[in-house]
């Protein structure tokens, strides 16, 4: 049976389906000796969007031909090392775009309208003795989108429904009569009520949202991150939240998942979710199917369905 090395958690259905026709080894359960014993049999690595696949692991597997990522982001995969070895990489783009954008909007509404805080207000019995303080209006506000790829665009199309004025920052100029393009992130932050991070992770975007960007966003500004924790300087974010130099944050991703700075918890102005952007049943099933189809295409020597074609 073909041998797959699974380097991370994937949904049970995917793990079980693959196990029918393949021998699947779990990387975390293998000793160095056990890995080196089977290294020559492994043609496929199965990873998730959060996985790290280092050059050292890639180069330890002489027969490796495919890294199949269950997720759109493959920033944890050393793509240069893979491409140098002619190892193909696949991901799961498009099918999760709607869900991630939906969550971005949900976080924006939740933080602005302080829905979690309002719920806790009721649960603590505080409604019996007063009303919850007014929150921040979303409709008609200014939304700045950082990274105008598939997910950024899907966020923009949803935000139109809230009559927001929409602007974006991207490494490539965006030519649109509906979305204003900024080539300067600080200027975008200064001119946004909500700054939503949708950029893919990588060297260029590492800690892109830093102290200066957060200061430019200002004391009423709200930061939403549905991209990757690495795109935000988390220490600067904690400082901005605790000192009140930004108004609030909605965060689905963190620098060191599953660990979250304590200072971000238990605050009405911060809403956190555990990296659930693509985690609806329908989308996770579609992602699992796409991963299986890519692996099947590889073993059948057919064209891969969703190959990653360039390192960016
Ligand atoms: C998933 C993701 O959480 O697509 C991505 O890049 O981060 C998410 O969809 C992840 O891949 C599942 O572990």
């Amino acid at each position: 049976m073909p041998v797959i090395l699974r380097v991370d958690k994937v949904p049970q259905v995917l793990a079980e389906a693959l196990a029918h026709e393949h021998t699947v080894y779990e990387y975390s359960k293998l000793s160095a000796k056990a890995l080196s014993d089977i290294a020559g049999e492994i043609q496929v690595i199965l990873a998730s969007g959060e996985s790290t696949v280092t050059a050292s692991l890639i180069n330890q597997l002489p027969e490796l031909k495919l890294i199949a990522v269950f997720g759109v982001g493959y920033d944890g995969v050393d793509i240069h090392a893979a491409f140098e070895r002619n190892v193909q990489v696949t991901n799961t783009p498009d099918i999760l775009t709607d869900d991630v954008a939906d969550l971005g909007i949900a976080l924006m509404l939740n933080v602005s309208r302080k829905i979690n805080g309002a719920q806790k207000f009721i649960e603590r019995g505080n409604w019996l003795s007063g009303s919850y303080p007014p929150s921040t209006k979303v409709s008609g506000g200014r939304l700045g989108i950082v990274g105008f790829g598939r997910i950024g665009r899907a966020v923009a199309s949803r935000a139109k429904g809230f009559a927001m004025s929409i602007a974006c920052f991207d490494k490539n100029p965006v030519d649109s009569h509906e979305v204003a393009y900024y080539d300067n992130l600080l200027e975008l932050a200064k001119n946004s009520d909500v700054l939503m991070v949708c950029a893919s992770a990588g060297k260029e975007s590492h800690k892109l949202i830093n102290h200066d960007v957060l200061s430019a966003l200002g004391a009423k500004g709200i930061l939403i991150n549905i991209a990757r924790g690495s795109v935000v300087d988390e220490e600067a974010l904690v400082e901005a939240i605790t000192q009140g130099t930004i108004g609030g944050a909605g965060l689905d991703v963190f620098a060191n998942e599953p660990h979250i700075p304590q200072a971000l918890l238990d605050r009405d102005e911060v809403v956190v979710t555990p990296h659930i952007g693509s985690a609806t049943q329908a989308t996770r099933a579609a992602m699992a199917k796409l991963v299986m189809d890519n692996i099947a295409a590889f073993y059948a020597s057919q064209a891969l369905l969703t190959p990653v074609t360039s390192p960016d």
Side-chain angles (χ1 to χ4, degrees):
M1 278 213 280
V3 176
I4 294 179
L5 182 65
R6 176 156 74 76
V7 297
D8 215 333
K9 290 189 298 287
V10 292
Q12 185 91 350
V13 295
L14 174 57
E16 283 173 4
L18 286 172
H20 284 309
E21 291 172 24
H22 311 81
T23 303
V24 182
Y25 289 103
E26 269 182 67
Y27 181 58
S28 63
K29 294 197 176 147
L30 293 173
S31 65
K33 159 91 173 63
L35 179 62
S36 95
D37 287 349
I38 56 162
E41 296 167 46
I42 296 167
Q43 286 193 308
V44 174
I45 285 180
L46 172 61
S48 82
E50 292 102 328
S51 305
T52 303
V53 181
T54 61
S56 145
L57 176 61
I58 291 168
N59 292 325
Q60 225 179 316
L61 308 175
E63 295 306 318
L64 183 67
K65 302 276 183 322
L66 174 69
I67 301 172
V69 179
F70 176 82
V72 67
Y74 48 87
D75 46 293
V77 175
D78 191 326
I79 198 98
H80 293 282
F83 284 3
E84 223 162 83
R85 281 265 323 276
N86 287 324
V87 171
Q88 302 192 76
V89 179
T90 57
N91 64 345
T92 61
D94 300 316
I95 48 182
L96 46 66
T97 301
D98 282 341
D99 281 351
V100 179
D102 289 352
L103 186 75
I105 298 291
L107 288 171
M108 174 175 76
L109 291 170
N110 196 334
V111 176
S112 304
R113 301 303 308 272
K114 296 216 164 84
I115 295 171
N116 282 12
Q119 176 160 351
K120 283 188 217 148
F121 180 82
I122 292 180
E123 288 166 354
R124 288 189 199 114
N126 295 351
W127 199 11
L128 301 171
S129 44
S131 29
Y132 192 67
S135 56
T136 305
K137 179 165 177 155
V138 175
S139 286
R142 299 168 304 164
L143 173 64
I145 299 176
V146 181
F148 208 61
R150 286 177 282 243
I151 293 171
R153 284 164 204 269
V155 166
S157 77
R158 284 157 175 72
K160 272 194 250 159
F162 294 92
M164 298 186 88
S165 68
I166 305 163
C168 73
F169 168 83
D170 193 277
K171 59 185 179 206
N172 302 312
V174 171
D175 185 16
S176 157
H177 49 268
E178 287 182 329
V179 177
Y181 173 71
Y182 283 77
D183 61 5
N184 182 318
L185 179 54
L186 284 178
E187 284 304 312
L188 176 69
K190 254 185 229 163
N191 290 291
S192 298
D193 300 311
V194 177
L195 195 65
M196 186 153 342
V197 186
C198 303
S200 52
K203 272 194 195 122
E204 274 178 68
S205 63
H206 188 73
K207 296 193 180 176
L208 186 64
I209 308 298
N210 57 19
H211 172 271
D212 293 350
V213 175
L214 295 168
S215 303
L217 183 57
K220 292 194 172 142
I222 288 171
L223 181 79
I224 304 295
N225 189 4
I226 49 170
R228 281 286 185 272
S230 63
V231 183
V232 173
D233 179 341
E234 205 166 76
E235 270 179 41
L237 175 62
V238 166
E239 191 185 300
I241 287 290
T242 50
Q243 318 246 314
T245 52
I246 66 168
L251 309 164
D252 184 46
V253 286
F254 303 87
N256 183 26
E257 294 171 10
H259 306 286
I260 300 186
Q262 192 64 34
L264 295 177
L265 303 178
D266 269 328
R267 291 178 169 275
D268 284 9
E269 78 278 27
V270 180
V271 175
V272 290
T273 48
H275 200 145
I276 55 167
S278 67
T280 64
Q281 286 160 3
T283 292
R284 284 291 167 87
M287 289 165 68
K289 179 170 184 318
L290 185 51
V291 168
M292 286 190 286
D293 290 349
N294 270 311
I295 292 176
F298 162 74
Y299 282 119
S301 304
Q302 288 167 0
L304 301 174
L305 283 84
T306 47
V308 171
T309 51
S310 84
D312 316 323

